[in-house]
Amino acid sequence: MAAAAAETQMGDGAPPPGALYSFGTPWPELNQGLTYTDTFRCADADAATTLIEFYSTNHKSSAPLPGWIKRIRNGQITVDGEVVTDPDMTLVDGSKLVYHRFPWQEPFAPYLLEVLYEDDDMVALNKPSGLQVLPKGLFQQRTVLAQLQLKDWKMASSCRFKRKDVQSHPVPVHRLGRGTSGLLLCAKTKVAKVRLASYFAEGAINAAKKRDKSEFSEERKISKFYRALVTGILDDDEVVVTQPIGLVHYPGVAEGLYAACSSGKPAMSKVCVLERLAHQNHTLVQVEIHSGRPHQIRIHLAYIGHPLVDDPLYGIGGHPNFVEPESTGTDSSFASDGGYERPLQPVPGDCGYHLHAHWLVLCHPTTNKVIKHIYNLGQMVKITAPLPQILQTREERRAAAEQTGG
């Protein structure tokens, strides 16, 4: 039975501070499982290929050999629509293979999302830490995208009839790490999706061309500002980091892990000190990013010797805190679903660090008006995601306390 959607709007009780309203549907205990489809192509007409040979060779990153044998014998593989439980079945060229992954209980994830800004073209959300944006790995249902799909997005009838590019639901146009909270932009229309994506792409291109800090603040279609708590005390009030980011080998992550890498793609971050917390040996910083490489802020801050406080993955130098596991991922070790056991070492989706997408400035994707300040200054509006208390300066905490009469 589907759970009822929860929504708190203006007029239906007080919305969360700084938000227009919040929405979300509680997660079911189990997701719906997954199916993976392949078409078998015989490279050598004289060589026979068995079902287990196909899966253990082509999808060895999903499960070890014994795991694939277990999945086949469980009846999780169909060949041309028929369940096959014999691992040694010989495949015929052109056969359609489908692996059915059983439903599973995904790890805990929050489900409520706050709406910070909304118009006919886009919506800005406040994403909580612990919620993944798009499906990947263990999280196939407990994602921001799933909540966007579940909500009934009511649009004005005039807009619905006049515009043919309106999507059935908004879609994220960039990503935030699972452990990162804050502002996430989503497009309601195809035009907005293309243009907003191009804004982010332009930032990455500019980062490759311009390494001079004097050019950092020049006019751009979109600018993103984050708040972070880092280890140690930064000496300089401002640091521009241009270390490239690329993929490196990392056990338990089949496609590799993003890290500081001289052969990687260009990336640029501007770090500004907001407050030095000497008694804790921490520094509160604002980070403006030009490019949007995966885990860029975590990597860049670690690269300059100041990893995020409680970051389980990235250490000084922008490389993973890695100790070779003793027996993880061997052919004799597999989980109950046949796949590899979860790695003992940290992985990119692990949370614990303090990073928040605080605010952004952008040109509207269809009107080209600059959305800049939260106050009404003509056409200018600033989209801001309220800060967690741990990322507030002393002055910000004092102001918040005065507002609430604390």
Side-chain angles (χ1 to χ4, degrees), residues 29-87:
E29 183 179 357
L30 300 177
N31 62 24
Q32 297 177 334
L34 289 172
T35 58
Y36 302 85
T37 302
D38 291 281
T39 299
F40 172 68
R41 294 300 178 192
C42 184
D44 184 352
D46 296 327
T49 300
T50 64
L51 187 61
I52 187 59
E53 287 172 340
F54 175 83
Y55 276 104
S56 62
T57 301
N58 291 279
H59 298 289
K60 58 185 177 183
S61 64
S62 170
L65 177 64
W68 277 116
I69 291 174
K70 177 180 179 178
R71 289 170 172 178
I72 294 169
R73 289 178 175 162
N74 277 346
Q76 292 177 252
I77 311 289
T78 61
V79 179
D80 294 327
E82 299 291 329
V83 175
V84 175
T85 57
D86 179 9

Side-chain angles (χ1 to χ4, degrees), residues 206-223:
N206 290 336
K209 293 178 180 177
K210 298 167 184 175
R211 301 291 182 111
D212 185 336
K213 69 172 71 175
S214 66
E215 298 181 82
F216 204 98
S217 60
E218 77 171 68
E219 188 92 15
R220 302 196 304 279
K221 292 289 181 69
I222 191 164
S223 296

Side-chain angles (χ1 to χ4, degrees), residues 24 32 46 144 213 216 265-266 269 292 312 351-352 397:
Q32 297 177 334
D46 296 327
V144 172
K213 69 172 71 175
F216 204 98
K265 294 183 178 180
S269 305
C351 304
R397 287 196 299 274

Side-chain angles (χ1 to χ4, degrees), residues 16 104 136 245 283 337:
W104 71 93
K136 189 175 183 181
I245 293 173
T283 306
D337 72 341

